[in-house]
Amino acid sequence: MAHSLQPHRPTKAEIIDFAALEGHDADMPSNLGSIHHVPSNPSTRPHSPSNEKDVKSSALEKDIEKGANPVSSSIAGEPDEEAERDPNIVDFDGPDDPQNPMNWGFTKKWGMVLLISAITFLTPLASSMFAPGVPEVMRDFGSTNDMLEGFMVSVYVLGFSFGPLIIAPLSEMFGRLPLYHSCNLLFIIFTIAAAVSTNMSMFIVFRFLMGTVGGAPMVLGGGTIADLIPREHRGTAMAVWMMGPTIGPCVGPIIGGFLTVAKGWRWNFWFVAIVAGAFFVISFILMRETSAPVILERKTKKLRAETGNEKLKSKLDSGLPTKELFRFSIVRPAKMLTRSTICFAISLYVAITYTYLYILFTTFTAVFTNQYHWHGGITGLSFLGLGVGSLVGQFAYIHYGNRTVSKHIERGDFKPEQRLHIMCIGGFFLPIGLLIYGWSANFQTHYMVPLLGTGIIGFGLLMTFMPANTYLVDVFTTHAASAMAANTVLRSLMAALVPLSSQKMYAALGLGWGNSLLAFVSLALVPIPFLFIKYGERIRARSTVKL
């Protein structure tokens, strides 16, 4: 029975990067192991379960904003002499073990990547696809409540703020595959339920549940890609996968506009259910588990049964009970959001800009119908500018943002705040786009002018959203996933609730001054990245934030 170790010794940077992609903190095990804080003297390193628990508890008291410079740490799961001598540690059988997802064939790997990317495209698309059909929904359910009109669209995003907090720890316990299958199946069921809803309450409840389980591929997708694709080839896969949450919400209403005219608003949901059903069948047949901790745990159980050796233990076994997994997933992000200046300020910036996206989603149909007399499927084209701008923004960030940071990494003088330079530029595009869109629609200029304005808004959104997220990863390193979770919860809550008053705002202020108000708020946020570029390092050095 050979349990040989892989020759590559993972660095802390690789483990942190990998864990962030998987959606959990780096003190929990992944394919590359995990980071645990231990006494610097190897002779005093604890081995008993009780001592290990004490070590993990002490690690929780670490300053989370100084995550990049731990006082003393070691990498759990790395190839060390102790592990090599222990015959009870179960690992992959060498670097070419076919059980290791990294060793799967090209077709199997990229087939999974494409399938996951397709699912990740569908669920965000469903968030806004029926937006052009909102007036029909209101008419069918006999409602004239402006607040409900917006909430029907944004309640889906409210589900995004709760689902990931549950899905992430469950995937640590049971693996990614059961969560993919169960969430995909529930998504289909809730989508069908929304399609056959007979009243507003039923419709809104099932829209919320759609969002709750629909967030699964966005929680699990990055980790699955990290499981399968080596770091040097991961950029392409990540770019394809990220198009789902970026472009999906903008493409959805374009399809939905024409589908609503042809078949009615309910067919937006039937369409999503049919496509999701096809993806579910394909994934059930083709997808396999990719989480190394889960694969090794299954291997360990099998070997225990075959050999009768109950001392066998997976190399990536965290030893964390269910209670601790949920604690990491739910409590830690809440603490980071309320106690960390950097996490709160950056998350607030992202939340407000993300909220603007859903204010536009919930009002585009009414604006272009009233101002430009667009009807039927044509109203869906009002979302085109936002989609094109978002796509351009994504590629601009990937090219210029990564190139700038790479120069500093090569020089050896990289600091997390250097991620924010491109955010400083992107921040100005939001108010400019909002002013162009608002006043051009107000004065009913040619429709291309407000579409241009929304394109600039989309560009600005991506140029602020993406560097902000990567900055959080660089600042919080080991606890990057918790910072991202805090960010996700705040932005999802705001994007679900703030747009409820958007119709009343435009009714009171008009399109020109209403969007000017949004522009002024976004302009007030512009100094945040400038301040962190200047004072961020000092804030992190003086931080006393504890988990």
Side-chain angles (χ1 to χ4, degrees):
M1 180 176 63
H3 313 303
S4 57
L5 294 159
Q6 298 181 39
H8 173 64
R9 178 171 180 149
T11 65
K12 292 176 188 174
E14 287 177 322
I15 289 178
I16 290 165
D17 177 52
F18 203 95
L21 284 174
E22 290 187 311
H24 61 77
D25 292 334
D27 53 6
M28 298 175 69
S30 67
N31 289 25
L32 298 184
S34 61
I35 293 177
H36 295 298
H37 298 275
V38 298
S40 58
N41 184 355
S43 64
T44 63
R45 185 176 296 176
H47 298 291
S48 69
S50 60
N51 283 342
E52 286 178 3
K53 183 177 180 181
D54 293 339
V55 170
K56 287 172 186 173
S57 297
S58 66
L60 294 179
E61 295 302 317
K62 180 181 153 308
D63 189 327
I64 58 176
E65 288 183 352
K66 296 175 184 173
N69 299 296
V71 176
S72 177
S73 66
S74 72
I75 301 175
E78 69 182 9
D80 53 30
E81 293 180 4
E82 179 186 338
E84 287 177 344
R85 290 196 304 266
D86 190 345
N88 293 318
I89 298 296
V90 178
D91 192 11
F92 289 115
D93 296 330
D96 300 319
D97 188 343
Q99 289 189 55
N100 188 340
M102 282 287 184
N103 297 324
W104 292 356
F106 178 87
T107 304
K108 186 176 181 180
K109 279 186 180 184
W110 285 96
M112 279 196 64
V113 170
L114 290 175
L115 181 57
I116 291 161
S117 299
I119 297 170
T120 311
F121 181 82
L122 179 66
T123 51
L125 177 141
S127 70
S128 59
M129 184 173 173
F130 90 107
V134 166
E136 281 196 18
V137 181
M138 298 291 287
R139 187 167 56 251
D140 283 3
F141 292 146
S143 175
T144 57
N145 190 318
D146 290 341
M147 190 173 289
L148 281 178
E149 189 172 348
F151 193 55
M152 281 192 296
V153 178
S154 62
V155 69
Y156 189 96
V157 189
L158 189 62
F160 283 174
S161 65
F162 293 99
L165 295 178
I166 301 169
I167 293 167
L170 288 176
S171 70
E172 296 299 326
M173 290 183 282
F174 305 112
R176 305 191 209 291
L177 197 61
L179 269 296
Y180 274 124
H181 290 336
S182 59
C183 288
N184 286 348
L185 180 60
L186 288 173
F187 181 77
I188 295 167
I189 293 170
F190 295 145
T191 303
I192 293 172
V196 298
S197 295
T198 55
N199 57 67
M200 185 67 77
S201 299
M202 180 180 175
F203 179 76
I204 288 176
V205 167
F206 285 114
R207 277 281 291 173
F208 169 75
L209 293 174
M210 282 174 65
T212 302
V213 297
M218 289 184 283
V219 176
L220 305 172
T224 303
I225 290 172
D227 292 339
L228 294 167
I229 310 298
R231 192 170 188 172
E232 58 271 21
H233 302 301
R234 203 173 293 153
T236 302
M238 290 299 294
V240 173
W241 176 69
M242 286 177 67
M243 283 186 183
T246 303
I247 310 301
C250 303
V251 172
I254 298 174
I255 301 171
F258 291 100
L259 192 57
T260 299
V261 172
K263 293 288 187 178
W265 68 267
R266 294 182 190 272
W267 263 93
N268 287 291
F269 294 91
W270 287 116
F271 173 83
V272 170
I274 291 167
V275 176
F279 287 157
F280 174 73
V281 172
I282 296 170
S283 64
F284 196 81
I285 295 170
L286 300 180
M287 285 180 69
R288 297 291 180 269
E289 183 59 66
T290 63
S291 174
V294 174
I295 293 171
L296 287 181
E297 185 58 36
R298 290 174 183 171
K299 180 178 179 180
T300 303
K301 287 180 179 178
K302 183 179 178 182
L303 288 172
R304 283 188 197 131
E306 291 175 352
T307 64
N309 183 0
E310 294 299 322
K311 294 181 180 179
L312 291 176
K313 184 179 180 181
S314 166
K315 174 188 169 185
L316 299 177
D317 181 17
S318 66
L320 294 173
T322 304
K323 183 179 178 181
E324 286 296 301
L325 288 171
F326 275 98
R327 180 187 172 206
F328 288 155
S329 182
I330 296 174
V331 177
R332 185 183 278 173
K335 286 186 176 181
M336 294 178 78
L337 189 61
T338 55
R339 299 183 186 181
S340 166
T341 303
I342 291 175
C343 186
F344 175 74
I346 293 296
S347 297
L348 181 65
Y349 195 145
V350 170
I352 291 174
T353 55
Y354 192 70
T355 299
Y356 289 174
L357 184 65
Y358 279 85
I359 288 176
L360 298 178
F361 282 159
T362 55
T363 57
F364 267 173
T365 301
V367 169
F368 281 86
T369 299
N370 296 332
Q371 299 298 103
Y372 293 96
H373 310 294
W374 287 11
H375 295 286
I378 302 298
T379 55
L381 297 178
S382 59
F383 294 79
L384 191 59
L386 204 57
V388 172
S390 299
L391 188 62
V392 173
Q394 180 178 346
F395 285 115
Y397 172 75
I398 290 171
H399 180 69
Y400 292 105
N402 290 346
R403 188 172 68 175
T404 303
V405 170
S406 296
K407 288 181 181 178
H408 289 287
I409 292 174
E410 289 172 6
R411 292 177 194 165
D413 62 351
F414 173 74
K415 297 175 183 177
E417 284 71 29
Q418 286 157 349
R419 294 278 189 190
L420 299 177
H421 289 289
I422 198 166
M423 187 175 176
C424 293
I425 299 169
F428 288 100
F429 283 91
L430 266 175
I432 291 171
L434 285 163
L435 290 171
I436 293 173
Y437 163 67
W439 288 105
S440 61
N442 187 75
F443 290 114
Q444 297 179 309
T445 60
H446 192 277
Y447 65 83
M448 283 303 297
V449 181
L451 286 182
L452 173 65
T454 59
I456 295 172
I457 293 169
F459 181 81
L461 280 169
L462 266 291
M463 294 288 277
T464 53
F465 183 82
M466 295 184 74
N469 285 329
T470 51
Y471 176 60
L472 289 177
V473 172
D474 287 332
V475 167
F476 294 100
T477 57
T478 304
H479 303 119
S482 288
M484 297 286 283
N487 183 342
T488 301
V489 169
L490 184 61
R491 77 168 189 255
S492 298
L493 284 172
M494 288 189 65
L497 301 176
V498 174
L500 301 183
S501 59
S502 56
Q503 293 280 21
K504 291 184 178 179
M505 177 189 71
Y506 286 136
L509 300 177
L511 290 173
W513 284 112
N515 284 289
S516 294
L517 176 62
L518 301 180
F520 296 149
V521 173
S522 66
L523 197 60
L525 298 172
V526 167
I528 290 177
F530 287 95
L531 290 172
F532 282 130
I533 288 172
K534 187 172 183 179
Y535 301 110
E537 191 173 8
R538 203 177 307 172
I539 292 171
R540 289 187 285 113
R542 295 179 180 178
S543 173
T544 58
V545 180
K546 306 292 181 183
L547 285 177

